[in-house]
Amino acid sequence: MPKRSFPLAKVYGLLEPGPVVLLTTARKGQANIMTLSWLTMMEFEPPLIGCVVSGRNYSFEALRLTKECVINIPTVDLAKQVVDVGNSSGRKVDKFGAFGLTPVPASSVGAPLIDECYANLECKVADTRLVNQYNFFILEVLKAWVDPKVKDPRTIHHRGKGVFMVAGETVKLRSRMK
Amino acid sequence: MPKRSFPLAKVYGLLEPGPVVLLTTARKGQANIMTLSWLTMMEFEPPLIGCVVSGRNYSFEALRLTKECVINIPTVDLAKQVVDVGNSSGRKVDKFGAFGLTPVPASSVGAPLIDECYANLECKVADTRLVNQYNFFILEVLKAWVDPKVKDPRTIHHRGKGVFMVAGETVKLRSRMK
């Protein structure tokens, strides 16, 4: 997908709705992907994101050691791949090859962007204080990319056990909220 | 709304999709409400939730001092109230009275449930280590209530500046994910 650089000050609007994301890492030349729903914005600018990456995930060690990752935001057309990524391990499978996803080099981190996702956030680990107890990483977004053609992304939102809510209509209310 | 006790082990399925929530607190006999989108699950059971409550919010001090709150999950029929709550301050306004919301006593915390919300999570503050730097509170859910009639809640998901995505269709994929 042709992407454009996206202002860091607007990144919160991509994640605040709570989509499932695909987290990519790379270690020793091997890229990996995991499915992630436990994340939140923590600051507008520079954008900070808190996320839980379980120690059972192969990505945990890559994230802990390289301190870099990309958060990729898929839409409903990638729902099957999102589930396949979540149900397999990078210990055994090259997930890019196995599930037909395309790695694209990032500009500021070693982990790749997933081309098929409409948005990509290049991140470095900014705080590891809660990793030991909660597997909770705080990430800073260094660079953001968005497909400018996607206005109302049909993101998917996990309700558990493979049940997803698909983003529906958009409504706009008068608000002074950021 | 008539609510039933909801299993703590299933609470993650309510918040993982990323809905806007209404956080209630009570201090010195005064209940307050704030609108919140920056939250994530951190553990399945007991359910832990991480959330950012800015120090600019009147609710911040109530949460810090009482260490109790309720996370109430609204649906799209409450969208106007969600925005009104977010655009006003409990310093000046009794939000329950001003916006026609009904406080109901909780079973295990001093903060009230919002009757009109389809789900309510009674919480205590479990970890304040990241409050000073990030205004990030870790909450433990003590008790959960859900309206059993609501199967596919039409939650709202904030994209910024009063623009909301409304929960659309539900899709189920074969998955071994929790």
Side-chain angles (χ1 to χ4, degrees):
Chain A
M1 281 187 191
K3 307 271 173 64
R4 280 204 202 133
S5 181
F6 188 73
L8 292 181
K10 292 186 174 182
V11 161
Y12 75 95
L14 303 174
L15 290 181
E16 219 176 274
V20 170
V21 304
L22 296 171
L23 183 95
T24 46
T25 50
R27 187 181 166 205
K28 297 181 182 173
Q30 192 197 357
N32 191 27
I33 318 174
M34 71 171 280
T35 296
L36 180 68
S37 279
W38 288 13
L39 73 166
T40 179
M41 290 304 302
M42 293 182 67
E43 185 54 86
F44 287 107
E45 195 173 7
L48 296 181
I49 297 165
C51 67
V52 177
V53 175
S54 162
R56 293 184 298 275
N57 287 106
Y58 189 57
S59 302
F60 177 86
E61 281 299 309
L63 182 59
R64 202 174 61 82
L65 295 171
T66 68
K67 295 186 178 300
E68 292 181 347
C69 64
V70 177
I71 290 177
N72 307 272
I73 312 180
T75 39
V76 65
D77 48 302
L78 296 173
K80 182 163 188 322
Q81 286 95 323
V82 166
V83 171
D84 287 342
V85 164
N87 283 327
S88 57
S89 172
R91 282 184 196 88
K92 298 178 181 174
V93 178
D94 163 25
K95 299 195 193 182
F96 279 98
F99 306 127
L101 297 169
T102 311
V104 174
S107 70
S108 52
V109 299
L113 317 178
I114 299 176
D115 191 40
E116 288 79 5
C117 289
Y118 90 97
N120 315 95
L121 310 174
E122 303 183 14
C123 301
K124 70 172 182 185
V125 174
D127 194 321
T128 58
R129 254 179 293 173
L130 297 191
V131 170
N132 282 348
Q133 189 170 352
Y134 301 105
N135 296 324
F136 187 76
F137 293 84
I138 300 178
L139 310 174
E140 179 183 336
V141 181
L142 304 174
K143 181 77 192 162
W145 303 95
V146 171
D147 180 346
K149 291 194 305 298
V150 178
K151 296 302 182 197
D152 292 312
R154 296 197 71 208
T155 47
I156 57 175
H157 301 251
H158 195 221
R159 292 173 53 190
K161 300 186 176 180
V163 177
F164 293 87
M165 175 273 280
V166 184
E169 63 180 313
T170 299
V171 297
K172 178 151 180 38
L173 283 85
R174 284 172 68 108
S175 174
R176 293 186 303 275
M177 287 189 291
K178 195 166 177 179
Chain B
M1 281 185 191
K3 308 271 174 62
R4 280 203 203 133
S5 181
F6 189 74
L8 292 181
K10 292 186 172 182
V11 162
Y12 75 97
L14 303 175
L15 290 181
E16 219 176 275
V20 170
V21 303
L22 296 171
L23 183 94
T24 47
T25 50
R27 186 181 167 206
K28 298 182 183 172
Q30 192 196 357
N32 192 26
I33 318 174
M34 71 171 280
T35 297
L36 180 70
S37 279
W38 288 12
L39 73 167
T40 179
M41 290 304 303
M42 294 182 67
E43 185 55 86
F44 287 107
E45 196 175 6
L48 295 182
I49 298 165
C51 67
V52 176
V53 175
S54 162
R56 293 185 298 276
N57 286 106
Y58 189 56
S59 301
F60 177 86
E61 281 299 308
L63 182 59
R64 201 174 63 82
L65 294 171
T66 67
K67 295 187 178 299
E68 292 181 347
C69 64
V70 178
I71 290 176
N72 306 272
I73 311 180
T75 39
V76 66
D77 48 301
L78 296 173
K80 182 163 188 320
Q81 286 96 322
V82 166
V83 171
D84 287 342
V85 165
N87 284 328
S88 57
S89 171
R91 281 184 198 87
K92 298 179 181 173
V93 178
D94 162 24
K95 299 194 194 183
F96 279 98
F99 306 127
L101 297 169
T102 310
V104 174
S107 70
S108 52
V109 299
L113 318 178
I114 299 176
D115 191 41
E116 288 80 3
C117 289
Y118 89 97
N120 315 93
L121 310 175
E122 303 182 13
C123 300
K124 70 172 183 187
V125 174
D127 193 321
T128 57
R129 252 180 293 174
L130 296 191
V131 170
N132 282 348
Q133 189 170 353
Y134 301 105
N135 296 323
F136 187 76
F137 293 84
I138 300 179
L139 310 174
E140 178 183 337
V141 182
L142 303 175
K143 180 77 191 161
W145 303 95
V146 172
D147 179 346
K149 291 193 307 297
V150 178
K151 296 302 181 198
D152 292 312
R154 295 197 71 209
T155 47
I156 58 174
H157 300 251
H158 195 221
R159 292 172 54 190
K161 300 185 176 180
V163 177
F164 293 87
M165 175 275 279
V166 184
E169 63 181 309
T170 299
V171 297
K172 178 153 180 40
L173 284 84
R174 286 172 66 108
S175 174
R176 294 187 302 277
M177 289 190 291
K178 193 165 177 178

